[in-house]
Amino acid sequence: MALPAVAVEQLVDWEVPEKQIGLWADAWQRFRRNRLAVLGAALVLFLVLIALLAPLLAQFGIIANPLKQNVSNIEAGPGQAGFLLGSDQLGRDTLSRLMFGSRISLSVGILVQAIILPIGLAIGLAAGYAGGRIDNLLMRFTDIWYAFPDLLFVLVVVSVFGPSLLTIFGAIALVSWVGLARLVRGQVLSIKEKEFIEAARSSGSSPFKLILKHLLPNSLGPIIVTVTFGIPNAIFLEAVLSFLGVGIQPPTATWGQMVFDGYENVYSNPSSVVFPAIAIGFTLLSFTFIGDGLRDALDPRMRR
Amino acid sequence: MRLGTRIRAISLVSAGLFVVSACGGSNTVSQNLAPASQQILRANNGVEPNSFDPTQQTYTYEGAVGRHVFETLLRPKLDNSDVEPAAAKSYDVSTDGLTYTFHLQTNAKWSDGKPVTASDWVYGFKHLLNPALAAGYVDPFFDTTIAGAANYGTIDVSSASAIDAFLNGLGVSAPDANTFVIKLQAPAAYFKWVVTLWQAAPIRKDVVEAAAGGTFASTDTTKAFAWANSATTIIGNGAFKISEIAAKDHVTLVPNPNYWGKAAILQKIILYEISDGNTAYSQYQTGALDMIGVPLADVTVVRNDPVLNKQAKLIPTNSNYWISYNGKKTPLDKADVRMALSKSIDRTKLVNDINHGNGAPMTGFIPKGMSGYDTTDNAQSFDPTAAKALLTKAGVTVADLSKLKLLTRNSTGSKTTNQFLVDQWNTNLGTSIQVDVIDSKTVTSRIRKGQFDIYGLDGWIGDYPDQQDWFDIFQTSACHSLNWGCITIPGYDALITKADGELDQVQRNKDYLTAQKMLIDNAVVGFMFQPYEYDLVKPYVGGLSITTGDDQNLPGDLRWTTAYITAH
Amino acid sequence: MAVIAGRPKRGALLPSRLASLTDSRAGSLAIFIVRRILWMVPVVFFVILITFVLMHLAPGSPWDKNGGRQLSQTVVNNLNARYGLNKPVTEQFWLYLVNVLHFDFGLSYQYEGKTVASLIMTSWPYTVAIGVISFLLIIPVGVGLGVLAALRQNSRVDYITMGFATFAASFPNFVVGALMVVAFSVLMYKATGGNFFLPAAGFGPDDHLVLPVITLSLLPIAFTARLTRASTLDTIRQDFIRTAWAKGLSERLVVVRHILKNSLIPVVTTLGPTFAFLVTGSVIVETLFSIPGIGRSFVVAIESRDYPMILGTTVLFSVIIALANLAVDVAYVFIDPRVRLTE
């Protein structure tokens, strides 16, 4: 009958990871074989390369100076007046600004997620695993965090600590971690009661190992999706900060600000909005591929 | 120049129309009028008024409603050269210049049919000047002019008796039902303009008290404002009345059936509150709005569109933009440094490229269209070589300047303009000044405390077309309140006080001209340009008398009683 | 193995003490809900406290104007006196709390003479209308697309969904909204001579809803779809699903009975706060389509430092988010796969 078969299979399933030492090595192999994942990784590397090389390219005149204004050629379309991708509201070269903008925007997108991930994981895991009072207190804490006005919080944080890059990253991270924590908690709750966890616990495995080896790989999918979607979200939050007047100062180019500034020109020069959005989309897509590949690679059940 | 004469031509033609209609006594203006059910004008006011009590309003988007629902004693002529009768059919000034006697229109009625009496005017002025109500426009227009109002700022607002004593001591009285008298503290040639401000409106005591549920203490602000919260209790003496207030969406005006003057042809005016410029532009293109202000980003598109550019109107405004320098920050305390910065901006590029041609470069203070406009002093004109020479003369290096920051509000327009300004300085002088973009409220709080180096673009929209309204900005006493940079010139204060009170118009203009030269030559601020408004108006909207005093994005609204919709 | 044959363990989802209180599932659920509603009181208290502190830390005062003539100091003093802003901050806080307990949320600073409660109540219905309709669109479309993409992993449907999701996430919704207005309002008006086009702005129980709802729903649909897909993929690979396949159950049965219910936990987790955000307003959509809702008025209140409006709207939002998260937790109980496994 179905039940005992399931139980037996799950016992077997549970045993295998214990014996395997090279979980990560195995995952890496499988990742490498996933073509889309590799493509995603290559694209990210390409973007990082552009970010690193942009100043050099500008210095040698391969791309235009992103700060050079040309007010007689404001809002040029792609290909007009010598601008490959057009120009912005002050006549600055869009292509160049996109390349320089990648420096801030990639940093914001990726670093913010890097900050959020451990916080969200820690709180979500603690709440879900511990349950009871701790869960309640932590979740009421997230209710409070959801409810108070982010805009005001960010305004205050940046005015108190000054608009440095670190404060901005920190402020964005602080208003974005809650969703991930609640998601992780939900995942933990649903998996915690599964039989193989009980079996593992009754056999004396330490909770910490349990969490790492079983809970996490089994709940990765939604976590990865949340983190990848968080990247454009962080990029736009940086632009919102700037819109509020507490973000990265002009004339430094960032993709988010280019989209916001370009929005005004949606009738006269839609490319000023479309190109930075494509850059952001490109980034999101790359991380989506990587994310999918990562999840497939780490899924213990795929190893059959 | 050409634009100015074109505008005057329009207003002259419209004035002509007005005269014809008044004589004819009927609405058979030769245009092909649409039927009454289609006499609806839909415009975009952009923002919801914070209050519908005219005495409490301060912004142009509030005036857009207040001016139609309430009528002031006098109003500016179309060409801004002087005032003309409105709710008062005439007025006399005593020889010492201290007493103004207004003879009210004998058949003036409120929108509910009751006659407008002088005691309504007395109550209106007292309502305006009640310190507990904290009306934004009292200072400096009414407390520095009306007798007994000088200590407006020191009255204890928690004491009803103190407030009542103050209000009863004001120089406003109603010797009979049709005569309203105002006494002044000192002669003020510009006072005739002050009473054209829409805050100086009559208010119905019985309406206010009915809405408040009876008489109330002068300290009770909630009760004092209750009447202004619903369309049915907002009783005004203007040509229109409010028929509907849809919160955050629109305000609907209909003609006041009891208005003493010529009845409006329009049967409905809907003032929408669309804050996104592109949205208003879309609404105009899909026929949901009849007039809009063109968003800056779309000006070029409109200009190049063969259909739209015929519907566009470029209208000078009674305003001026400039750069504010903080006189307390070295090296900006030196006039030569400020002059050098002012001379390093190419205003033509600023107006034509950044502002898409919506303006006229200015190196002077008083804008075109107002008496006092003068082009003889070009000290601040664009000349980078001269600018560099001035810096050398002042002994100031590029490094000294480069630590300065240009305080910028967080709006798209400000950010774009200020990045251009900074780029001009850095290109023409070799500095590396940067913009400092901050949230708008914070900017205001900082300039009020003098915590800035350079602030741009500051500016002024004239409350009325008299020079007194302008020159008061740079008084020493206005330090931290309008004269952000706190830069003072010896003799300036005395000169403009003299001019403000001067009854001889010729001497007055001479004095103001001297004062203007003081401002320009000392580069108290860096004058940039006079902005023009670029609006789109549907071809079927006729009878517009456009003046520089019209509210923003509402061309001709000061005279919408003559506007009409042609059949289409 | 007693674990499998025995009673489902509820201790994880409910406060552990409760599990012993009653056997009845409905009964313990009711107590759970009541306790959570009681917990909303300290939550709202702390939200008010934090917001109060933030508001008074934020630079700029409600009386600073954004340009032109500023209010004189006397006027500012009078205004501060009128609204009690000259009292010490702690006293203002306690006064506010006391008033909140009487459901008095104070007068708005910006809109003279109007109460915060009346301002919120006139604006909120518009926001709720658009928010609820969007939510009702997001659930079937988002979940549906996600399940489809997962069941047909690496097929065309999957890639199209991924492409759409990427697009929706990289173009902020006001850009998409503006582009849609250009296309479906202005261009359509021109193309059909003014006969058939979608309105560019305004609220109405008709085609005025189309563009705002689509604009508001795009990103949540995309995110929900990707989330559902990921979670469904996780579920599909679990063995009890394999067993169901092996037993030869029809795909639809397997999907509905097993996959969907098991993969919905993370989706439900995010749908709760999504509902709360939708129903308390997106400032961007409300500004773009000129909808008189509370999303826009909240941002305006922050910009003008209208403290009572900020606090009132925040209190409303905190109640809604707490209720939404409560609904999510209750939903967990019904979705809990453990129940399914032992039946």
Side-chain angles (χ1 to χ4, degrees), chain B residues 332-414:
Chain B
L332 296 169
D333 51 337
K334 298 198 168 87
D336 284 338
V337 175
R338 301 194 299 263
M339 186 60 86
L341 289 172
S342 309
K343 289 182 81 70
S344 317
I345 307 286
D346 185 348
R347 294 165 181 71
T348 315
K349 278 210 171 122
L350 179 59
V351 169
N352 291 340
D353 296 328
I354 304 287
N355 221 44
H356 298 280
N358 293 349
M362 287 272 287
T363 48
F365 183 39
I366 301 293
K368 190 152 186 287
M370 249 183 75
S371 90
Y373 174 63
D374 178 81
T375 47
T376 54
D377 189 342
N378 284 326
Q380 290 194 6
S381 59
F382 180 51
D383 188 342
T385 326
K388 288 204 196 114
L390 280 170
L391 284 180
T392 324
K393 173 165 160 254
V396 166
T397 64
V398 156
D400 294 328
L401 285 180
S402 296
K403 57 181 168 61
L404 299 174
K405 285 205 160 92
L406 177 59
L407 191 60
T408 308
R409 292 190 189 270
N410 63 331
S411 67
T412 316
S414 288

Side-chain angles (χ1 to χ4, degrees), chain B residues 73-74 84-93 100-105 178-180:
Chain B
L73 293 163
L74 306 171
E84 65 182 20
K89 64 181 180 207
S90 67
Y91 74 102
D92 318 307
V93 185
Y100 283 67
T101 309
F102 296 94
H103 305 286
L104 306 175
Q105 299 282 0
N178 285 321
T179 313
F180 175 54

Side-chain angles (χ1 to χ4, degrees), chain A residues 67-69 71-75 89-90 92 97 155 159 163 239 242-247 249-252 257 260-261 263-269, chain B residues 276 278-279 281-283 285 295 297-298 300-301 349 353-354 356 410-412 415-417 419-424 434-440 442:
Chain A
L67 299 178
K68 185 165 184 314
Q69 296 181 11
V71 295
S72 322
N73 283 310
I74 283 179
E75 294 298 335
Q89 75 275 21
L90 281 163
R92 297 177 294 212
R97 283 177 66 80
L155 210 70
S159 3
S242 167
F243 185 70
L244 284 179
V246 296
Q249 291 290 342
T252 309
Q257 288 185 38
F260 274 50
D261 288 341
Y263 161 71
E264 307 262 326
N265 296 288
V266 76
Y267 274 108
S268 48
N269 188 15
Chain B
D276 185 307
N278 280 333
T279 305
Y281 183 48
S282 308
Q283 288 287 71
Q285 291 179 85
D298 301 323
T300 318
V301 173
K349 278 210 171 122
D353 296 328
I354 304 287
H356 298 280
N410 63 331
S411 67
T412 316
K415 286 196 285 195
T416 309
T417 305
Q419 284 181 76
F420 170 76
L421 292 176
V422 152
D423 186 71
Q424 285 281 288
Q434 293 188 325
V435 293
D436 193 11
V437 177
I438 309 261
D439 136 75
S440 205
T442 316

Side-chain angles (χ1 to χ4, degrees), chain B residues 242-326:
Chain B
I242 300 179
S243 71
E244 182 201 12
I245 301 175
K248 293 195 186 14
D249 196 65
H250 65 272
V251 172
T252 309
L253 301 174
V254 296
N256 172 1
N258 296 308
Y259 180 59
W260 67 270
K262 182 174 161 304
I265 307 174
L266 291 172
Q267 294 305 302
K268 227 188 224 185
I269 299 175
I270 309 180
L271 295 172
Y272 287 98
E273 291 147 12
I274 301 173
S275 56
D276 185 307
N278 280 333
T279 305
Y281 183 48
S282 308
Q283 288 287 71
Y284 182 84
Q285 291 179 85
T286 54
L289 283 177
D290 302 315
M291 50 168 61
I292 57 160
V294 180
L296 199 57
D298 301 323
V299 169
T300 318
V301 173
V302 170
R303 284 225 172 88
N304 295 334
D305 182 308
V307 173
L308 286 180
N309 71 13
K310 291 199 186 53
Q311 302 173 3
K313 298 187 187 320
L314 190 62
I315 305 167
T317 58
N318 188 18
S319 50
N320 193 357
Y321 281 142
W322 58 72
I323 302 173
S324 263
Y325 304 109
N326 189 349

